[in-house]
Amino acid sequence: VEHRVAPAGEVPPLDLALLRGFAFTCRDDCGLCCYAEPRVRPQERGPLLQIAPETAWVHRADGEFLAARTDGGACQFLVDRRCTVHAVRPSPCREFPLTAHLGLRLQATMVLSCPGVDLTGLDGWRPGAPGPITGLDGELAALRARVDRTTARRMGEAARRRARIARRLERDGRWLEEDEVRSRLRRELPRPGAPEFPVGDPPSADDGLELLPLFFGGLRGPVALASGPGGWQLLELRADGGVERTIAIVPPPTTVPDTTSDGRATLDGYLRYWVERDELFGSVHAAMLESEEGSVEEWARAELRQIGAVVLARADVRARARLARPRPLTRDDVLDGIRATDQDLLDRETWGDRL
Ligand code: SF4
Ligand code: SF4
């Protein structure tokens, strides 16, 4: 089992390799990332309270969070899709659409659900793809400002959690280092097939609107995806909570949807991008403990097929809600599917941590 983590006391480097080739410009007609309860660090509380003394908080074991409006609504400070405390907004808001996974390395990735991120870079994406990082200076500075010696300590804890999992899987003959699995997956990328369909349903609206996958649909509020009678529902949400209207109800695909060749190339690029994300292994290793079967490579392959299937299913539902007829999914449809999926995948549990 390898240990490559920065020694405690050292400030670990922020790995930016996965940001290359992407550009970002925030859209002023969006507000999608504000349908959230951002975490507020202790040192950010005072400046915020000076501007907004009536701030409503949610207290959890891992800190204090800005309360969103009830029933799937946006953050209390979002008004007409603008942040009313912009100068003192907390770190997750300053950094979005960047996120950093804290594991054996401190790996920055982009939240590809953000409609301000230009996803052109995903077409045929390969590791080591060159290219500038455009439009993210402020977000990168905010992320870097949080990297300090405590980050190295947290990485040490994450590495110990990984080592415990690795020892157990090694004992059962199921372990393989990430680098080895990555090189096998790069040689032969798994794609979703018939066994992955139909994919699992999103939660129902009755389970709570805040649990539903969201995406930007160019409407006043974001669109939530819910399962319900008759299929998957696309629901436009209001900022003050609740559903504004049902846009469409579409039965999800039960077989692999047809995809054009450029749509397949985009999906392949996204899956290759996932192979390089440490989150993939963090969640796969943790999930493997719940079963006695399968090697890391088999689990990672199954996971990538599932990711691809969910992207295609959401792409298909979005395309049919617009066009009301089946057709091969194009590159733009697949990008819609990626945008409706990526944030959910990044929210899964891993043995690592978020910066
Ligand atoms: S989701 Fe992206 S584009 Fe939309 S408001 Fe947030 S940062 Fe801007
Ligand atoms: S504090 Fe501002 S930027 Fe952050 S979620 Fe609330 S409205 Fe959005």
Side-chain angles (χ1 to χ4, degrees):
V1 177
E2 283 182 26
H3 291 276
R4 292 171 292 190
V5 100
E10 275 183 26
V11 178
L14 184 61
D15 186 330
L16 302 182
L18 291 187
L19 306 185
R20 307 234 159 258
F22 288 103
F24 166 66
T25 316
C26 183
R27 300 179 59 127
D28 57 13
D29 60 346
C30 176
L32 177 68
C33 56
C34 297
Y35 283 71
E37 292 186 329
R39 183 169 183 206
V40 180
R41 292 192 293 158
Q43 60 271 45
E44 293 168 341
R45 255 184 81 97
L48 183 63
L49 285 171
Q50 276 187 348
I51 290 191
E54 305 295 318
T55 299
W57 301 95
V58 177
H59 307 282
R60 300 201 181 101
D62 54 341
E64 289 193 284
F65 298 77
L66 288 184
R69 297 173 175 113
T70 53
D71 198 16
C75 167
Q76 60 195 292
F77 294 125
L78 189 73
V79 177
D80 288 335
R81 293 193 253 199
R82 299 218 168 256
C83 175
T84 51
V85 295
H86 192 258
V88 291
R89 66 199 188 287
S91 0
C93 313
R94 290 179 186 279
E95 294 160 15
F96 199 86
L98 297 182
T99 174
H101 184 261
L102 195 152
L104 291 183
R105 57 186 168 176
L106 183 56
Q107 186 183 51
T109 71
M110 200 90 98
V111 183
L112 301 181
S113 292
C114 164
V117 177
D118 178 356
L119 297 184
T120 311
L122 276 185
D123 296 333
W125 188 90
R126 293 193 180 273
I133 304 168
T134 317
L136 283 158
D137 292 351
E139 290 74 12
L140 266 174
L143 197 64
R144 281 205 166 97
R146 282 208 295 132
V147 182
D148 60 18
R149 290 175 183 187
T150 63
T151 313
R153 177 180 53 72
R154 288 168 64 194
M155 287 173 72
E157 287 162 9
R160 283 190 285 281
R161 283 195 291 274
R162 170 186 175 275
R164 277 198 295 277
I165 295 175
R167 275 197 298 274
R168 189 161 138 206
L169 297 177
E170 235 171 4
R171 218 171 40 224
D172 300 343
R174 304 166 67 200
W175 178 255
L176 204 53
E177 294 289 337
E178 288 92 323
D179 288 349
E180 177 59 29
V181 181
R182 277 198 174 103
S183 72
R184 295 181 190 202
L185 294 171
R186 285 181 201 131
R187 281 198 299 274
E188 196 203 330
L189 186 72
R191 289 194 175 128
E196 281 72 45
F197 283 85
V199 302
D201 284 326
S204 138
D206 296 339
D207 296 336
L209 297 180
E210 54 287 330
L211 298 179
L212 302 179
L214 297 182
F215 57 85
F216 175 72
L219 305 168
R220 277 204 61 75
V223 179
L225 200 56
S227 64
W232 288 5
Q233 305 169 329
L234 280 73
L235 310 169
E236 183 183 350
L237 300 190
R238 287 190 295 263
D240 58 358
V243 174
E244 174 74 24
R245 66 188 169 110
T246 301
I247 299 163
I249 300 177
V250 185
T254 50
T255 55
V256 191
D258 278 345
T259 311
T260 61
S261 58
D262 61 354
R264 273 194 299 280
T266 302
L267 182 66
D268 281 357
Y270 182 59
L271 295 178
R272 278 194 213 98
Y273 188 78
W274 257 108
V275 169
E276 307 307 317
R277 275 177 165 173
D278 292 345
E279 268 123 333
L280 174 73
F281 292 95
S283 64
V284 158
H285 293 161
M288 284 178 74
L289 294 180
E290 314 211 333
S291 154
E292 313 252 298
E293 313 264 310
S295 67
V296 176
E297 183 181 350
E298 286 163 348
W299 274 72
R301 285 186 180 281
E303 183 66 13
L304 289 166
R305 285 194 296 268
Q306 285 294 338
I307 290 173
V310 172
V311 165
L312 289 184
R314 292 184 184 183
D316 180 75
V317 164
R318 289 188 66 174
R320 278 189 292 135
R322 250 194 340 266
L323 297 165
R325 62 184 163 82
R327 54 153 205 197
L329 296 171
T330 63
R331 167 186 179 274
D332 286 346
D333 295 328
V334 172
L335 291 177
D336 278 350
I338 292 168
R339 292 202 198 273
T341 307
D342 198 60
Q343 172 88 61
D344 295 350
L345 298 173
L346 292 172
D347 282 344
R348 290 175 309 175
E349 290 282 312
T350 73
W351 51 255
D353 211 344
R354 286 281 183 86
L355 182 61

